[in-house]
Amino acid sequence: MKKILSAFLLLYFAIAFSQEKKPMFWQDIQEFKKLDQQNPPQKDAILFLGSSSFTKWTDIADYFPGKTIINRGFGGSRLTDLNDFANDLLAPYQPKQIIIYCGENDFADNHQLKAKVVVNRYKAFYKKIRERFPNIEIDYISIKYSPSREVIWPQMKIANKKIAAFMKKEPNAEFIDVTKAMEDANGNVRKDIFVEDMLHFKPEGYRIWTKIITPYLK
């Protein structure tokens, strides 16, 4: 009986330890792998990568009729997560374009985080994309100014400015600024396009993004 109990405890702790070692969002990545096995991704699609603004855009393909869209937004991911899972997010696909929305959660996790740290995280991920896909279009959507995160807007504004400058110098790369389109006539962020958490979008928010993003699509 003692041997059985000991064996059970060893198995329990082995499973618990293995689960503890799995990084955040590991399960999300496994779900992507399952999706790709069930429906092999088409070549020359437009690959959306990033955080919950994409994750919750579950009907994104409906907003871009005639385009082949692969949405791989996951959880409340940060640029650190995109870097950590870069191989899993890039290797299975042969896209003609990648559109990124990420960086907001980096600041949300650490209100003291300097803009240059987030910019460097983005540059690191951009480099990983370029190493695999030297010539495809890469676009970055500006970090949105969610009303619930006004305290970190200053760092976001600096990061947006620096990433925009970086993208301007890069070939086949664009900075998609959604800032003005999300403002009212007085230049204030429209709260009516957000759900109650003042962080995620109602459909109207996604319609605004669609209007801005569409001209950039290949």
Side-chain angles (χ1 to χ4, degrees), residues 86-105:
N87 188 61
D88 295 303
L89 294 169
L90 300 174
Y93 313 108
Q94 293 178 288
K96 63 180 177 182
Q97 181 175 9
I98 292 177
I99 297 179
I100 302 160
Y101 181 76
C102 200
E104 185 178 354
N105 292 316

Side-chain angles (χ1 to χ4, degrees), residues 101-104 107 118 140-145 155-156 159-160 163 175 178-179:
Y101 181 76
C102 200
E104 185 178 354
F107 289 115
V118 173
Y140 181 87
I141 297 175
S142 62
I143 300 173
K144 64 180 170 62
Y145 303 122
Q155 297 104 297
M156 291 177 176
N160 276 335
I163 292 174
F175 179 83
V178 295
T179 305

Side-chain angles (χ1 to χ4, degrees), residues 6-188:
S6 297
F8 175 79
L9 288 172
L10 284 171
L11 179 61
Y12 172 81
F13 285 117
I15 294 172
F17 182 71
S18 65
Q19 289 177 338
E20 286 176 5
K21 290 187 69 176
K22 292 173 183 174
M24 188 181 293
F25 305 121
W26 181 87
Q27 189 58 49
D28 298 76
I29 301 301
Q30 306 317 304
E31 289 300 320
F32 292 156
K33 291 178 180 180
K34 287 181 184 178
L35 287 173
D36 292 336
Q37 286 178 347
Q38 294 166 359
N39 296 295
Q42 292 187 41
K43 186 179 179 181
D44 293 327
I46 300 171
L47 179 61
F48 282 70
L49 298 175
S51 55
S52 58
S53 291
F54 283 173
T55 310
K56 292 181 176 292
W57 203 351
T58 55
D59 56 349
I60 189 171
D62 296 338
Y63 286 76
F64 302 105
K67 302 293 184 182
T68 302
I69 305 294
I70 299 174
N71 185 355
R72 291 297 178 260
F74 59 102
S77 56
R78 303 148 298 187
L79 285 163
T80 49
D81 301 303
L82 264 60
N83 276 296
D84 289 344
F85 290 112
N87 188 61
D88 295 303
L89 294 169
L90 300 174
Y93 313 108
Q94 293 178 288
K96 63 180 177 182
Q97 181 175 9
I98 292 177
I99 297 179
I100 302 160
Y101 181 76
C102 200
E104 185 178 354
N105 292 316
D106 296 63
F107 289 115
D109 278 358
N110 178 3
H111 288 189
Q112 306 306 314
L113 194 64
K114 298 295 184 182
K116 66 179 181 181
V117 175
V118 173
V119 174
N120 286 336
R121 289 175 181 177
Y122 173 68
K123 288 180 178 179
F125 185 59
Y126 179 91
K127 182 180 179 183
K128 290 176 181 180
I129 298 174
R130 276 286 174 243
E131 287 172 349
R132 188 175 291 273
F133 307 115
N135 301 311
I136 70 167
E137 177 79 11
I138 302 174
D139 301 324
Y140 181 87
I141 297 175
S142 62
I143 300 173
K144 64 180 170 62
Y145 303 122
S146 304
S148 62
R149 291 175 168 174
E150 189 169 357
V151 67
I152 48 178
W153 286 4
Q155 297 104 297
M156 291 177 176
K157 289 179 180 178
I158 296 171
N160 276 335
K161 185 177 180 181
K162 289 182 178 295
I163 292 174
F166 169 74
M167 295 294 276
K168 188 175 182 180
K169 296 177 182 178
E170 291 295 309
N172 301 321
E174 295 286 350
F175 179 83
I176 304 175
D177 196 346
V178 295
T179 305
K180 292 295 181 184
M182 293 174 60
E183 294 177 347
D184 61 21
N186 297 315
N188 299 313

